[in-house]
PDB file of all heavy atoms in Angstrom:
ATOM      1  N   ALA A  39      10.820 -13.785   5.804  1.00 97.00           N
ATOM      2  CA  ALA A  39      11.562 -13.607   7.053  1.00 97.00           C
ATOM      3  C   ALA A  39      12.553 -12.456   6.941  1.00 97.00           C
ATOM      4  O   ALA A  39      12.709 -11.649   7.875  1.00 97.00           O
ATOM      5  CB  ALA A  39      12.285 -14.905   7.415  1.00 97.00           C
ATOM      6  N   GLU A  63       3.193  -9.074  -8.610  1.00 97.00           N
ATOM      7  CA  GLU A  63       2.914 -10.379  -9.224  1.00 97.00           C
ATOM      8  C   GLU A  63       2.466 -11.394  -8.168  1.00 97.00           C
ATOM      9  O   GLU A  63       1.530 -12.166  -8.391  1.00 97.00           O
ATOM     10  CB  GLU A  63       4.161 -10.902  -9.942  1.00 97.00           C
ATOM     11  CG  GLU A  63       4.550 -10.106 -11.173  1.00 97.00           C
ATOM     12  CD  GLU A  63       5.959 -10.400 -11.666  1.00 97.00           C
ATOM     13  OE1 GLU A  63       6.630 -11.280 -11.067  1.00 97.00           O
ATOM     14  OE2 GLU A  63       6.400  -9.766 -12.639  1.00 97.00           O
ATOM     15  N   TRP A  86     -16.852  -9.821   5.123  1.00 97.00           N
ATOM     16  CA  TRP A  86     -16.031 -10.642   4.231  1.00 97.00           C
ATOM     17  C   TRP A  86     -15.002 -11.427   5.030  1.00 97.00           C
ATOM     18  O   TRP A  86     -14.313 -10.863   5.881  1.00 97.00           O
ATOM     19  CB  TRP A  86     -15.337  -9.761   3.201  1.00 97.00           C
ATOM     20  CG  TRP A  86     -14.458 -10.536   2.248  1.00 97.00           C
ATOM     21  CD1 TRP A  86     -14.851 -11.405   1.281  1.00 97.00           C
ATOM     22  CD2 TRP A  86     -13.021 -10.494   2.192  1.00 97.00           C
ATOM     23  NE1 TRP A  86     -13.756 -11.905   0.616  1.00 97.00           N
ATOM     24  CE2 TRP A  86     -12.629 -11.359   1.152  1.00 97.00           C
ATOM     25  CE3 TRP A  86     -12.049  -9.789   2.908  1.00 97.00           C
ATOM     26  CZ2 TRP A  86     -11.288 -11.560   0.817  1.00 97.00           C
ATOM     27  CZ3 TRP A  86     -10.714  -9.994   2.574  1.00 97.00           C
ATOM     28  CH2 TRP A  86     -10.350 -10.864   1.535  1.00 97.00           C
ATOM     29  N   THR A 123       4.679  -7.315   5.002  1.00 97.00           N
ATOM     30  CA  THR A 123       5.368  -8.195   4.054  1.00 97.00           C
ATOM     31  C   THR A 123       4.965  -7.897   2.624  1.00 97.00           C
ATOM     32  O   THR A 123       5.814  -7.709   1.738  1.00 97.00           O
ATOM     33  CB  THR A 123       5.061  -9.670   4.364  1.00 97.00           C
ATOM     34  OG1 THR A 123       5.587 -10.011   5.654  1.00 97.00           O
ATOM     35  CG2 THR A 123       5.690 -10.591   3.321  1.00 97.00           C
ATOM     36  N   ASN A 156       2.435  -1.749  -2.452  1.00 98.00           N
ATOM     37  CA  ASN A 156       2.161  -2.836  -3.394  1.00 98.00           C
ATOM     38  C   ASN A 156       0.892  -3.622  -3.101  1.00 98.00           C
ATOM     39  O   ASN A 156       0.565  -4.563  -3.842  1.00 98.00           O
ATOM     40  CB  ASN A 156       3.360  -3.780  -3.446  1.00 98.00           C
ATOM     41  CG  ASN A 156       4.569  -3.127  -4.078  1.00 98.00           C
ATOM     42  OD1 ASN A 156       4.571  -2.798  -5.264  1.00 98.00           O
ATOM     43  ND2 ASN A 156       5.595  -2.884  -3.277  1.00 98.00           N
ATOM     44  N   SER A 159      -5.112  -2.375  -1.968  1.00 98.00           N
ATOM     45  CA  SER A 159      -5.787  -1.189  -1.426  1.00 98.00           C
ATOM     46  C   SER A 159      -4.941   0.052  -1.699  1.00 98.00           C
ATOM     47  O   SER A 159      -3.762  -0.045  -2.048  1.00 98.00           O
ATOM     48  CB  SER A 159      -6.013  -1.340   0.084  1.00 98.00           C
ATOM     49  OG  SER A 159      -4.770  -1.492   0.758  1.00 98.00           O
ATOM     50  N   VAL A 162      -3.198   2.220   3.929  1.00 98.00           N
ATOM     51  CA  VAL A 162      -3.294   1.435   5.162  1.00 98.00           C
ATOM     52  C   VAL A 162      -3.491   2.421   6.303  1.00 98.00           C
ATOM     53  O   VAL A 162      -2.753   3.416   6.408  1.00 98.00           O
ATOM     54  CB  VAL A 162      -2.024   0.600   5.425  1.00 98.00           C
ATOM     55  CG1 VAL A 162      -2.161  -0.163   6.743  1.00 98.00           C
ATOM     56  CG2 VAL A 162      -1.766  -0.372   4.279  1.00 98.00           C
ATOM     57  N   ALA A 193     -10.140   8.365   7.685  1.00 98.00           N
ATOM     58  CA  ALA A 193     -10.540   8.000   6.324  1.00 98.00           C
ATOM     59  C   ALA A 193     -11.352   9.126   5.680  1.00 98.00           C
ATOM     60  O   ALA A 193     -11.098   9.514   4.533  1.00 98.00           O
ATOM     61  CB  ALA A 193     -11.337   6.697   6.345  1.00 98.00           C
ATOM     62  N   GLU A 194     -12.313   9.646   6.411  1.00 97.00           N
ATOM     63  CA  GLU A 194     -13.136  10.744   5.871  1.00 97.00           C
ATOM     64  C   GLU A 194     -12.314  12.004   5.643  1.00 97.00           C
ATOM     65  O   GLU A 194     -12.486  12.691   4.637  1.00 97.00           O
ATOM     66  CB  GLU A 194     -14.294  11.029   6.824  1.00 97.00           C
ATOM     67  CG  GLU A 194     -15.383   9.981   6.790  1.00 97.00           C
ATOM     68  CD  GLU A 194     -16.776  10.600   6.700  1.00 97.00           C
ATOM     69  OE1 GLU A 194     -17.012  11.598   7.390  1.00 97.00           O
ATOM     70  OE2 GLU A 194     -17.612  10.058   5.943  1.00 97.00           O
ATOM     71  N   ILE A 201     -13.529   1.541   3.655  1.00 98.00           N
ATOM     72  CA  ILE A 201     -12.529   1.135   4.636  1.00 98.00           C
ATOM     73  C   ILE A 201     -12.857  -0.269   5.126  1.00 98.00           C
ATOM     74  O   ILE A 201     -14.026  -0.602   5.351  1.00 98.00           O
ATOM     75  CB  ILE A 201     -12.470   2.127   5.823  1.00 98.00           C
ATOM     76  CG1 ILE A 201     -11.390   1.716   6.833  1.00 98.00           C
ATOM     77  CG2 ILE A 201     -13.822   2.273   6.505  1.00 98.00           C
ATOM     78  CD1 ILE A 201     -11.150   2.779   7.914  1.00 98.00           C
ATOM     79  N   ILE A 221     -18.608  -3.819  19.885  1.00 97.00           N
ATOM     80  CA  ILE A 221     -18.132  -2.434  19.874  1.00 97.00           C
ATOM     81  C   ILE A 221     -17.881  -1.969  18.444  1.00 97.00           C
ATOM     82  O   ILE A 221     -18.225  -0.837  18.063  1.00 97.00           O
ATOM     83  CB  ILE A 221     -16.846  -2.311  20.720  1.00 97.00           C
ATOM     84  CG1 ILE A 221     -17.187  -2.531  22.205  1.00 97.00           C
ATOM     85  CG2 ILE A 221     -16.177  -0.953  20.509  1.00 97.00           C
ATOM     86  CD1 ILE A 221     -15.975  -2.706  23.096  1.00 97.00           C
ATOM     87  N   ASN A 234     -21.423   8.558   4.590  1.00 96.00           N
ATOM     88  CA  ASN A 234     -21.702   7.599   3.518  1.00 96.00           C
ATOM     89  C   ASN A 234     -20.551   6.640   3.276  1.00 96.00           C
ATOM     90  O   ASN A 234     -20.581   5.880   2.304  1.00 96.00           O
ATOM     91  CB  ASN A 234     -22.019   8.349   2.219  1.00 96.00           C
ATOM     92  CG  ASN A 234     -23.341   9.084   2.284  1.00 96.00           C
ATOM     93  OD1 ASN A 234     -24.306   8.582   2.848  1.00 96.00           O
ATOM     94  ND2 ASN A 234     -23.376  10.285   1.719  1.00 96.00           N
ATOM     95  N   VAL A 241     -13.091 -10.597   8.563  1.00 96.00           N
ATOM     96  CA  VAL A 241     -12.787 -11.617   9.566  1.00 96.00           C
ATOM     97  C   VAL A 241     -11.926 -12.681   8.904  1.00 96.00           C
ATOM     98  O   VAL A 241     -11.960 -12.876   7.687  1.00 96.00           O
ATOM     99  CB  VAL A 241     -14.060 -12.263  10.150  1.00 96.00           C
ATOM    100  CG1 VAL A 241     -14.912 -11.216  10.866  1.00 96.00           C
ATOM    101  CG2 VAL A 241     -14.874 -12.967   9.068  1.00 96.00           C
TER     102      VAL A 241
END
Side-chain angles (χ1 to χ4, degrees):
E63 292 165 3
W86 179 69
T123 296
N156 292 294
S159 60
V162 178
E194 286 227 318
I201 182 171
I221 292 169
N234 291 321
V241 298

